[in-house]
Amino acid sequence: MKTTTKVCIIGGGVVGCSVLYHLTKLGWSDVMLVERSELTSGSTWHAAGGFHTLNGDTNMAALQGYTIRLYKELEELTGMSCGLHHVGGVTLADTPERMDMMLAERAKHRFMGLNTEIVTPEEIQKLSPITNVDGVIGGLYDPLDGHLDPSGTTHAYAKAARMGGAEIVLHNPVIETNQRPDGTWDVVTKLGTIHAEHIVNAGGLWARELGAMAGVYLPLHPMEHQYLVTEETPEVYERDHELPHVMDPGGESYLRQEGRGICIGFYEQACDPWAVSGTPADFGHELLENKLDRISDSVEFAFNRFPVLQRAGIKTIINGPFTFAPDGNPLVGPVPGLRNYWSACGVMAGFSQGGGVGLSLAQWMIDGEAERDVAAMDVARFGDWISADYTRPKVVENYQRRFSVSYPNEELPVAREWNTTPMYDTWAEQGAVFGAQYGMEVANYFATPDEADYETPTFRRSNAFNATAREVMAVRNSVGINEVHNFGKYRIMGTDARGWLDRIMAGRIPKPGRIALNPMLSPKGKLIGDFTVSCLSETEFLLTASFGMQAIHMRWFEQHGADGITIENISTARIGFQISGPNARKVLSACTMDDVSHENFKFLDVREVQLGRLKALVQRVSYTGDLGYEIYVDAAEQLKLYKILTHTGRAYNMKPFGMRAMMSLRLDKFFGSWGSEFCPDYTPLETGMDRFMAYDKPTDYLGKAAALAERAAGATRKLCTFEVEVDDADVIGYEPIWLDGKVVGFCTSGGYSHYAKKSIAFGFVPTDQIKPDLAVDIEILGEMRPAKRIEQVLFDPESSRMRC
Ligand SMILES: Cc1cc2nc3c(=O)[nH]c(=O)nc-3n(C[C@H](O)[C@H](O)[C@H](O)COP(=O)(O)OP(=O)(O)OC[C@H]3O[C@@H](n4cnc5c(N)ncnc54)[C@H](O)[C@@H]3O)c2cc1C
């Protein structure tokens, strides 16, 4: 065993082996993997080996597509068999809502190059004659679905990695991981200590324990999972070709052919978290006790859907554990707060996702960033507010919802009120219907007493429509108030704070008392943040950005930190309100003796304002595109601030507004949103963020070379705004844009402008196809909707309200 290495991967399941292979594939050969037993000694050996592309997150779905296509390459490279059965698969839809979800997925697949198809019940019957299609409306067929041999595949990854120079050490448990002052690691194993520049935790079922060795909490939990294999049955062996997979979300089951019999697995409601207080160190190749009572309802349902099961005897029952993160997606990337410690765990579908996880992590380690946006699986998408008490019930919820329809507006019920602000009860009394963002309760809208106090999950317009319209018009006609607790906020201090910001941001750093919007770029020129930078003094700046990005931003800041710069995450410590609308200034000036007239407090000014007894930091900006102010105080003073503002606001009929209204208001001004229009898949030039770039500033800012190169070459696609002719369903995101019978682009987000009474969509179109009044079709839930490009914003085109 070698004792020094660039990378030491811990864990020889399918994920660890995939990471090892991808590191060698991308050029790092001084890498090794340490496994406590044989390869596949965790979840991997139990797996049913199914693979599919369907995933609610588009980038995850694309990575699943990559994983599936990789198997042929592995077989060719190694000469080993992965035991591939590319039999195709169909997911059944037995409700209109599930059909909507299939239609939305199918639409996304068009520009992802995935050839899925919507199929009728008759076609499903033909594809899978053992399926009783009573009650089935249709389905989504994916020719890429199939299954493989889990052990063969893992060994193929391992062989390919060895061929690339990697070393694999078996029967060698890691006992300790100790960091040296220079950030490298001593990996203490049974066979001796390995000095590694980087560690990858691919410990699967034991990832929690491995993380704890380094003082890290990784939010994942193992769940028990059961599948059955039947005896041989003529309905299977008399066929001349293999049956396709059938996913029956209504019955929470997945089914496929196994040899001459059938294999069917269940995601049952009465599920069990496994090993709550930790995975036993000696757990290995044993199975868990069968718990048929837990799946009896699902089995009964399956007997009706697949009557052949009533006749085929059960040969084997497998009950094995595997791990999930709270949202079901993997935990990948650099662990915040620890240098050179990488996570590759929480992978619940190793044979659909393992290749994509390996590729993304290897790119991240070698190039400093992954090729596509990995936010959905970034280990830092959960902040330090997370704990086992949050993870466990969310994992149970996720397991139970494995086959549920995921609605774009849905707010899940488990682990709610995890974090609240002092305003929570006040808003609740006013009819707030809350959602959760990054563990924090956020008012989505305010229902009147005669309206439902929950929002119906749907792909179409929800029952929040009227309330949202009221709130939008309250802002546009007079003044609205909402919280600014759900912005990420960072205080940057130090004598070289300006210099540091100038290097890390790609825009202009404002003068004292002023605000400037700033893109933050990766070295490859991708958008990794959009910040409001406020200069409070030459040595103190406030940054505001997307709330859900806190741990990701802090990780980046720390990686690119500088001596003498203090960076403090004050997201929940400094909260307050924004007031917005034509009467916002009147409300503010009635609360203070300070001069807040336009002449003295201009658009993009920031200053302290005395509001009664409170000293607040006030910024003249608003995402509503209207006259507006963001007013920040310490969290303990939020209620006092609320009283002051509402006392004067009453005279102007000031109304609270929630996130649904905010997202409608931003459409009026074509404002993009982080995670939709702006994300690491896109660049400033593509998204219009170039207007906030200071391309030629003298500083060698991060991403400068790539940004300048892109400016010189021009962007091949650009974000456009469309007005869409719709009935009851607006654009949500990732709908294909059609031109002359071809998919030429896709939407990033959209919605209904309650102010302009128009359905609006943002989307990318190839630059050479963009022209005034460009007419396209946007495919929404399976229907072609005519859409016209618009260039003039819908509200206040002169910006006289916002700027004057
Ligand atoms: C019943 C069942 C059915 C499934 N069906 C499917 C399916 O059809 N399709 C699909 O995609 N997925 C399926 N899965 C899930 C799949 O098995 C997992 O996604 C996958 O195996 C995760 O792989 P991993 O490498 O992350 O973890 P693991 O397989 O758990 O590997 C972790 C490895 O780390 C090693 N290790 C841990 N601690 C140490 C240490 N201290 N020192 C050295 N080595 C250590 C372990 O020995 C182990 O080999 C199923 C799982 C189960 C249980």
Side-chain angles (χ1 to χ4, degrees), residues 55-63 108 111-112 372 733-734:
N55 189 301
D57 181 86
T58 305
N59 274 324
M60 284 304 305
L63 285 172
K108 283 183 202 173
F111 60 82
M112 291 164 63
R372 55 172 70 239
Y734 291 115

Side-chain angles (χ1 to χ4, degrees), residues 10-16 34-36 38 40-44 46-50 172-174 202-206 210 213 225 227 254 318 320-322 347-352:
I10 308 170
V14 64
V15 174
V34 179
E35 162 58 45
R36 72 187 175 117
E38 297 287 341
T40 77
S41 289
S43 298
T44 298
H46 301 90
N172 188 25
V174 169
L205 282 177
W206 295 266
L210 270 174
M213 281 180 199
H225 179 65
Y227 65 87
Y254 56 90
I318 304 280
F322 63 121
V347 185
M348 61 76 53
F351 298 95
S352 299

Side-chain angles (χ1 to χ4, degrees), residues 357-434:
V357 166
L359 175 72
S360 303
L361 191 66
Q363 289 173 338
W364 210 334
M365 294 179 77
I366 294 171
D367 302 336
E369 61 189 284
E371 174 191 345
R372 55 172 70 239
D373 181 13
V374 286
M377 63 177 181
D378 191 328
V379 63
R381 70 187 180 278
F382 303 103
D384 52 11
W385 47 270
I386 203 161
S387 71
D389 292 329
Y390 179 92
T391 303
R392 197 173 53 252
K394 287 301 277 184
V395 164
V396 170
E397 178 187 55
N398 189 270
Y399 184 97
Q400 291 169 329
R401 290 178 45 81
R402 175 85 180 107
F403 280 132
S404 302
V405 178
S406 299
Y407 297 97
N409 67 333
E410 191 164 17
E411 298 289 351
L412 300 178
V414 170
R416 293 300 298 274
E417 299 175 31
W418 192 256
N419 284 319
T420 56
T421 65
M423 275 302 290
Y424 182 79
D425 290 337
T426 308
W427 288 147
E429 281 160 20
Q430 295 179 31
V433 178
F434 291 96

Side-chain angles (χ1 to χ4, degrees), residues 482-777:
N482 86 344
E483 278 189 270
V484 286
H485 64 313
N486 57 334
F487 294 157
K489 301 165 212 98
Y490 313 92
R491 180 188 283 144
I492 313 293
M493 285 181 296
T495 46
D496 188 34
R498 173 179 292 281
W500 181 76
L501 281 169
D502 206 30
R503 287 191 293 280
I504 203 140
M505 300 287 166
R508 193 181 46 77
I509 306 303
K511 295 195 175 82
R514 293 290 290 162
I515 296 170
L517 299 184
N518 258 273
M520 186 164 80
L521 304 185
S522 73
K524 291 191 176 161
K526 299 292 180 81
L527 281 171
I528 55 167
D530 68 327
F531 287 85
T532 304
V533 178
S534 311
C535 181
L536 310 186
S537 75
E538 278 302 333
T539 55
E540 185 177 354
F541 291 80
L542 174 73
L543 309 185
T544 41
S546 169
F547 191 66
M549 292 288 287
Q550 282 170 61
I552 293 175
H553 284 154
M554 284 302 287
R555 183 179 64 195
W556 187 257
F557 294 157
E558 280 160 17
Q559 282 168 355
H560 296 87
D563 288 344
I565 302 294
T566 317
I567 303 157
E568 211 186 324
N569 182 356
I570 54 166
S571 301
T572 47
R574 293 285 284 174
I575 55 179
F577 302 92
Q578 71 162 310
I579 54 170
S580 184
N583 286 323
R585 186 183 294 118
K586 291 182 188 147
V587 173
L588 184 66
S589 60
C591 299
T592 180
M593 306 280 282
D594 294 0
D595 179 0
V596 293
S597 64
H598 171 67
E599 291 64 39
N600 209 36
F601 197 175
K602 296 200 164 50
F603 179 59
L604 295 181
D605 273 354
V606 54
R607 61 174 49 193
E608 270 193 348
V609 176
Q610 189 75 39
L611 295 161
R613 282 198 300 112
L614 299 179
K615 232 185 196 108
L617 187 79
V618 183
Q619 316 206 118
R620 198 179 144 191
V621 280
S622 177
Y623 192 49
T624 62
D626 217 310
L627 171 65
Y629 303 87
E630 291 172 2
I631 308 166
Y632 295 98
V633 291
D634 286 342
E637 298 187 315
Q638 191 193 24
L639 283 179
K640 278 188 219 153
L641 176 61
Y642 180 69
K643 280 198 184 132
I644 293 170
L645 292 171
T646 45
H647 183 72
T648 50
R650 227 168 274 141
Y652 300 95
N653 201 19
M654 184 166 74
K655 296 282 184 209
F657 67 102
M659 287 310 294
R660 299 280 183 260
M662 178 102 122
M663 293 310 272
S664 173
L665 287 158
R666 62 124 193 167
L667 295 174
D668 301 343
K669 296 287 275 188
F670 302 176
F671 288 164
S673 164
W674 184 261
S676 299
E677 284 67 47
F678 312 131
C679 78
D681 283 334
Y682 314 138
T683 65
L685 202 57
E686 291 173 337
T687 53
M689 283 290 265
D690 54 326
R691 65 187 191 277
F692 302 116
M693 290 282 295
Y695 280 104
D696 298 313
K697 67 181 181 180
T699 320
D700 188 18
Y701 58 90
L702 272 171
K704 183 174 187 176
L708 289 176
E710 193 202 27
R711 187 179 64 169
T716 54
R717 62 178 177 186
K718 291 229 171 176
L719 200 60
C720 299
T721 307
F722 295 94
E723 184 185 331
V724 199
E725 287 176 34
V726 300
D727 293 333
D728 64 342
D730 302 297
V731 157
I732 293 158
Y734 291 115
E735 292 80 358
I737 299 176
W738 292 79
L739 183 63
D740 301 331
K742 277 200 210 116
V743 175
V744 294
F746 61 93
C747 295
T748 49
S749 77
Y752 187 71
S753 160
H754 288 272
Y755 168 76
K757 308 212 173 354
K758 288 178 174 164
S759 186
I760 299 299
F762 302 127
F764 285 110
V765 175
T767 313
D768 57 9
Q769 313 226 20
I770 298 174
K771 54 178 186 182
D773 296 331
L774 173 71
V776 297
D777 285 310

